[in-house]
């Protein structure tokens, strides 16, 4: 595309020092997100998804790399400039039960970011909070209610309204529907997609649910032990996965079609490598059914294996295995 992506993440790393060594939570990740698009980030627990989202927002400072937002590297920003930028970059938390202040009413929670950033007077913020309640489908009769009085779906709508309070351009959605019932999940996802179309929002949508990420994403990045191992457009990734780990994730999706129940699942076996002082070759080696000595030669970066499709598997890059 001719227009520069809203967000570019280049060789981003986040390491944590531990008594046993350095934990590579995010290790050399390069991604981009277009305005009005959703990048889904998937992987099992502990793969670095949430740390990636928090690092992009600079809630956690990166070890190295670049985070380019609207053409500027925000890692160069000082505290005051970063505070101003936070109005444009927001976060929807995973747990609607723990992420809301129980001492504040619905209206107070939504208007708090506006008052902190001195965007409106208190009277204007009150009216704006009510407008946002309308936007996210939360009845105004709950304006003075407290979080414990509401169900999970309504609480997460408060979280969405709070994220929208500063009129952001980019939102990190950290598993925002994982704690909700399936029917409520669909309502929140559809609400977020409607808001995205209306406001041209860009999302980084973090989840471990492949069905959810397929519903909402334009592109999907698959992470494993801090690294991005596959990147492709949604339908391309689901129809033609090119990394053994992605194939295993897709094989784990429950099947309703009775004709597909006899398929042999691609179960993962073997030990998960440690993210502390990780091996200097393919980190999926110990669990991969296709592993060979070539996989132990060195670490493999994402490389293009077909149009707009990237994989970090050396065997896929050389064409030695296919979509079996």
């Amino acid at each position: 595309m001719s227009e520069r992506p809203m967000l570019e993440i280049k060789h981003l790393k986040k390491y944590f020092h531990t008594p046993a060594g350095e934990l590579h939570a995010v290790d050399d990740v390069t991604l981009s997100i277009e305005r009005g698009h959703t990048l889904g980030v998937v992987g099992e627990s502990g793969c670095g998804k949430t740390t990636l989202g928090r690092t992009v927002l600079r809630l956690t400072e990166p070890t190295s790399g670049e985070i380019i937002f609207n053409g500027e590297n925000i890692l160069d920003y000082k505290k005051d400039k970063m505070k101003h930028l936070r109005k444009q970059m927001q976060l929807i938390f995973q747990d609607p039960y723990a992420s809301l202040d129980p001492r504040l009413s619905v209206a107070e929670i939504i208007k708090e970011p506006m008052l902190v950033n001195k965007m409106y007077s208190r009277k204007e913020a009150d009216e704006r909070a009510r407008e946002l309640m309308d936007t996210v489908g939360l009845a105004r009769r709950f304006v003075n209610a407290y979080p414990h009085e509401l169900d999970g779906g309504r609480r997460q709508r408060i979280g969405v309204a709070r994220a929208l309070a500063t009129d952001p351009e980019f939102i990190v959605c950290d598993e925002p529907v994982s704690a909700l019932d399936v029917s409520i999940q669909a309502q929140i996802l559809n609400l977020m997609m409607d808001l995205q179309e209306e406001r041209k929002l860009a999302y980084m949508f973090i989840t471990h649910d492949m069905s959810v990420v397929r519903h909402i994403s334009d592109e999907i990045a698959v992470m494993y032990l801090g690294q991005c191992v596959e990147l492709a457009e949604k339908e391309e990734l689901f129809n033609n996965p090119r990394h053994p780990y992605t194939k295993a994730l897709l094989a784990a999706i429950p099947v309703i079609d009775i004709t597909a129940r006899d398929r042999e699942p691609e179960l993962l076996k073997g030990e998960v490598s440690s993210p502390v002082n990780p091996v200097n070759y393919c980190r999926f080696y110990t669990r991969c059914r296709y592993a060979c000595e070539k996989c132990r030669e060195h670490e493999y970066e994402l490389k293009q294996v077909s149009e707009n499709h990237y994989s970090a598997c050396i065997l896929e890059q050389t064409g030695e295995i296919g979509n079996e």
Side-chain angles (χ1 to χ4, degrees), residues 39-40 42 213 217-222 230-232 234 237-238:
L39 173 68
V42 300
V213 81
S217 299
D218 297 295
E219 280 190 310
I220 298 175
V222 181
E230 186 160 6
L231 175 67
K234 170 179 61 179
L237 185 131
F238 274 83

Side-chain angles (χ1 to χ4, degrees), residues 106-168:
V106 171
E108 289 171 333
I109 291 171
I110 297 173
K111 70 185 182 183
E112 185 178 30
M114 304 181 233
L115 298 176
V116 168
N117 287 285
K118 300 179 181 179
M119 298 175 64
Y120 303 99
S121 67
R122 287 194 172 274
K123 184 176 181 181
E124 290 171 335
D126 283 337
E127 183 54 36
R128 178 64 177 150
R130 286 168 170 76
E131 291 173 1
L132 286 169
M133 290 177 67
D134 295 338
T135 299
V136 300
L138 193 61
R140 289 198 179 193
R141 70 176 184 273
F142 298 119
V143 68
N144 292 317
Y146 287 85
H148 72 272
E149 300 177 276
L150 305 176
D151 59 32
R154 290 192 175 100
R155 292 187 197 192
Q156 197 58 294
R157 288 175 188 269
I158 299 171
V160 174
R162 179 176 59 184
L164 294 173
T166 58
D167 295 321

Side-chain angles (χ1 to χ4, degrees), residues 3-173:
E3 184 182 356
R4 186 169 187 170
M6 172 185 286
L7 178 71
E8 296 174 273
I9 305 163
K10 297 183 178 181
H11 304 291
L12 190 65
K13 297 181 181 180
K14 177 57 188 177
Y15 299 165
F16 294 95
H17 295 288
T18 72
E22 283 196 318
L23 189 155
H24 292 214
V26 176
D27 204 356
D28 201 17
V29 172
T30 298
L31 298 167
S32 64
I33 306 176
E34 305 281 350
R35 188 179 303 276
H37 283 228
T38 299
L39 173 68
V41 180
V42 300
E44 59 196 352
S45 297
C47 72
K49 305 185 301 295
T50 295
T51 303
L52 174 64
R54 293 179 65 86
T55 304
V56 167
L57 296 176
R58 284 192 65 185
L59 297 177
T60 299
E61 290 296 328
T63 301
S64 65
E66 294 180 88
I67 303 170
I68 300 173
F69 184 72
N70 286 333
E72 295 187 11
N73 186 0
I74 67 173
L75 297 185
D76 296 332
Y77 284 11
K78 302 299 182 183
K79 184 176 180 180
D80 290 346
K81 195 169 183 180
M82 195 64 213
K83 181 179 179 181
H84 178 74
L85 179 68
R86 293 199 186 284
K87 292 188 289 185
Q88 301 173 52
M89 305 174 75
Q90 286 292 314
L91 173 65
I92 299 175
F93 294 90
Q94 175 179 356
D95 189 353
Y97 299 89
S99 61
L100 304 178
D101 191 331
R103 299 166 297 179
L104 299 182
S105 68
V106 171
E108 289 171 333
I109 291 171
I110 297 173
K111 70 185 182 183
E112 185 178 30
M114 304 181 233
L115 298 176
V116 168
N117 287 285
K118 300 179 181 179
M119 298 175 64
Y120 303 99
S121 67
R122 287 194 172 274
K123 184 176 181 181
E124 290 171 335
D126 283 337
E127 183 54 36
R128 178 64 177 150
R130 286 168 170 76
E131 291 173 1
L132 286 169
M133 290 177 67
D134 295 338
T135 299
V136 300
L138 193 61
R140 289 198 179 193
R141 70 176 184 273
F142 298 119
V143 68
N144 292 317
Y146 287 85
H148 72 272
E149 300 177 276
L150 305 176
D151 59 32
R154 290 192 175 100
R155 292 187 197 192
Q156 197 58 294
R157 288 175 188 269
I158 299 171
V160 174
R162 179 176 59 184
L164 294 173
T166 58
D167 295 321
E169 300 178 48
F170 169 66
I171 301 177
V172 172
C173 311

Side-chain angles (χ1 to χ4, degrees), residues 188-289:
I188 298 298
L189 291 174
N190 290 332
L191 166 64
M192 293 178 64
M193 293 171 72
D194 290 342
L195 291 170
Q196 181 178 53
E197 183 176 358
E198 174 189 334
R199 299 174 179 231
K200 300 301 179 185
L201 296 170
Y203 293 146
M204 176 183 284
F205 195 96
I206 297 167
T207 183
H208 60 268
D209 190 323
M210 298 299 289
S211 300
V212 167
V213 81
R214 186 173 193 174
H215 181 69
I216 196 170
S217 299
D218 297 295
E219 280 190 310
I220 298 175
V222 181
M223 290 191 65
Y224 185 77
L225 285 181
Q227 297 180 323
C228 181
V229 297
E230 186 160 6
L231 175 67
E233 294 181 354
K234 170 179 61 179
E235 293 305 326
E236 168 66 13
L237 185 131
F238 274 83
N239 295 332
N240 186 27
R242 300 295 295 272
H243 193 281
Y245 179 60
T246 308
K247 294 176 184 181
L249 288 180
L250 295 178
I253 300 175
V255 176
I256 298 177
D257 184 0
I258 193 171
T259 62
R261 290 181 182 173
D262 293 333
R263 72 180 183 183
E264 182 181 353
E266 192 160 341
L267 300 178
L268 293 179
K269 300 178 181 179
E271 292 293 327
V272 180
S273 300
S274 173
V276 179
N277 300 327
V279 296
N280 59 358
Y281 51 86
C282 177
R283 296 179 189 179
F284 192 58
Y285 177 84
T286 57
R287 304 173 74 190
C288 182
R289 62 187 294 184

